[in-house]
Structures are given as C-alpha cells and as structure tokens.
Amino acid sequence: MTLDLLVCDIAGTTVQEHGAVYAALQDAVNAAGGDVDRPAVARWMGADKQEAVRALLGSLATDELVEQAHADFSSRLADAYEQRSPEPFAGVAELIGELRADGVRVALTTGFDRAIAEPLLASIGWDRDTVDALVCADEVAAGRPAPYMVFRAMERCGVHRVDRIAVVGDTVLDLRAGTSAGAAAVIGVLTGGVDVAVLGAERHTHLLPGLADLPGVLEQL
C-alpha cells in the first residue's frame, strides 16, 4: 500500500491533555441542569462537542441552553489547559515530520470547534506548517462516527483514494468514522484511556500502544 494521507485525532491521540476535555464536558452539562456521570460522558468521546452537549442534556436541550453549555465547556477547558498544559505524546511530532518529508500528507481532525483547536495546537507550538490540514467538527454536516471529517481532510489535502489513507484515533467513534470512510487502515491507539477490550471490539485493522508506534505498521502495509 502507498500511503497518501494520515488522518489523526488530536486529544488522546496526538496530544496528551490529561482527560481535561471530559471533565470540562461533564461539569458544563451538570452546571446547565443535567445529571451525567463519567460513564455517560465517555460514550461521547471523540464526538462533536456541540452534539455531545445536546445529547447529554437530553430533554432539557434547547438551542439556547446548548449554546450556553458549550460556551461554558469551552471556558472550563481553557482554564484546565492553563492549569495543566497539554503536550504532544512522545515521538509524535517527529513522526509527523518524517511522514511529511516522505511525501505523506498529515491531517488532524477533532470534535472541538476551531476556537478551541487552534489555541490548543498553538499552545504546544504547532502551527499551519506542522500539518497539512486541520478539520473541526463544526465545519462538517455531522461529527464522528460520520466519515465527513475524514473526507474533508482528503479534500483539503488533495487526496482522492480512500484505499491510500490511514485513520488513527483513541476512541470508538474515531474507529467508526475511519471504517465508515472506507480507509485502508483504521488504527486504534491506547493513549486516550479507552480500555483495550472496548476499543478492540470495534472494527479496526490495528491496535497500537500509541501513535509513535505507527512506523512498524506502515512497514507492513
């Protein structure tokens, strides 16, 4: 297989953010009147955070309350990142650089909107020259498990063949999106806190300890 494009999730896959996103999501939903625990929030790992807020609020969800809760989530997450800075997982920045030097495009996809994603990447020193594309959930018709962010990444990177792309993520929804897109390789990583049995129960081609272990897989493709 010739690899044209690697599509990676951000939080939990390329960037260690210590689970702050799901703590912030739970707190914001409950502050808006919801009553959710961590397992309920975990089912929305990898999802568009607006969609997650709406679903977690259930019958309480109005457009106005969803907007308010999502804004609260964004504020709580920014505060959490100030208190404990995110950082790239070991070896990931080097891997991205090596792949791009070899002509492989690299795109990041995320359940965050751009107002969260860009400052997060800037905080770890990644800019527009670090990867070829960034696709956020609010830029497509639906977030994961829909394949639209993968397709948008292909569009932005000028890649036409799904049989020459690999999708990597740390959540069930990441794997479902890669499978729905028809990616040649759908790779789960265990750096995001999802149990190996849970991640392994989803359709995938590979499970890895982390993204930095990808070169061993690429040699086999």
Side-chain angles (χ1 to χ4, degrees):
M1 170 188 171
T2 299
L3 184 65
D4 290 341
L5 173 65
L6 177 68
V7 180
C8 298
D9 174 54
I10 298 180
T13 300
T14 55
V15 176
Q16 168 62 278
E17 53 87 64
H18 312 286
V21 58
Y22 300 107
L25 183 58
Q26 181 180 359
D27 290 346
V29 168
N30 288 341
D35 183 17
V36 297
D37 57 15
R38 188 55 63 90
V41 172
R43 289 194 288 272
W44 292 90
M45 294 176 71
D48 177 337
K49 297 307 176 285
Q50 285 258 16
E51 294 176 9
V53 167
R54 184 176 296 278
L56 290 167
L57 283 173
S59 61
L60 298 175
T62 63
D63 289 346
E64 182 179 5
L65 186 59
V66 169
E67 289 293 336
Q68 291 174 354
H70 185 265
D72 184 29
F73 156 73
S74 299
S75 177
R76 290 173 186 271
L77 187 62
D79 289 345
Y81 286 167
E82 284 188 9
Q83 294 174 22
R84 190 175 187 184
S85 298
E87 57 189 0
F89 284 108
V92 167
E94 294 80 2
L95 172 66
I96 290 173
E98 291 167 3
L99 289 174
R100 297 184 72 215
D102 288 340
V104 178
R105 300 292 183 91
V106 178
L108 300 178
T109 59
T110 179
F112 298 147
D113 59 27
R114 192 166 287 267
I116 297 175
E118 286 190 338
L120 168 58
L121 295 177
S123 75
I124 62 173
W126 290 12
D127 57 24
R128 295 179 183 274
D129 294 325
T130 304
V131 296
D132 296 286
L134 167 65
V135 181
C136 300
D138 61 332
E139 299 170 349
V140 294
R144 307 178 184 113
Y148 304 138
M149 284 199 290
V150 177
F151 294 151
R152 185 62 56 85
M154 293 176 65
E155 178 184 5
R156 290 182 177 171
C157 292
V159 172
H160 304 146
R161 294 176 52 176
V162 294
D163 63 340
R164 295 172 68 156
I165 71 171
V167 174
V168 184
D170 64 289
T171 72
V172 166
L173 296 186
D174 290 320
L175 299 188
R176 290 179 182 173
T179 298
S180 296
V186 178
I187 302 166
V189 294
L190 303 176
T191 43
V194 178
D195 185 84
V196 63
V198 173
L199 209 56
E202 295 296 319
R203 291 181 62 184
H204 64 276
T205 58
H206 304 82
L207 287 180
L208 300 175
L211 183 57
D213 297 289
L214 185 65
V217 169
L218 297 180
E219 293 172 0
Q220 303 168 15
L221 296 178

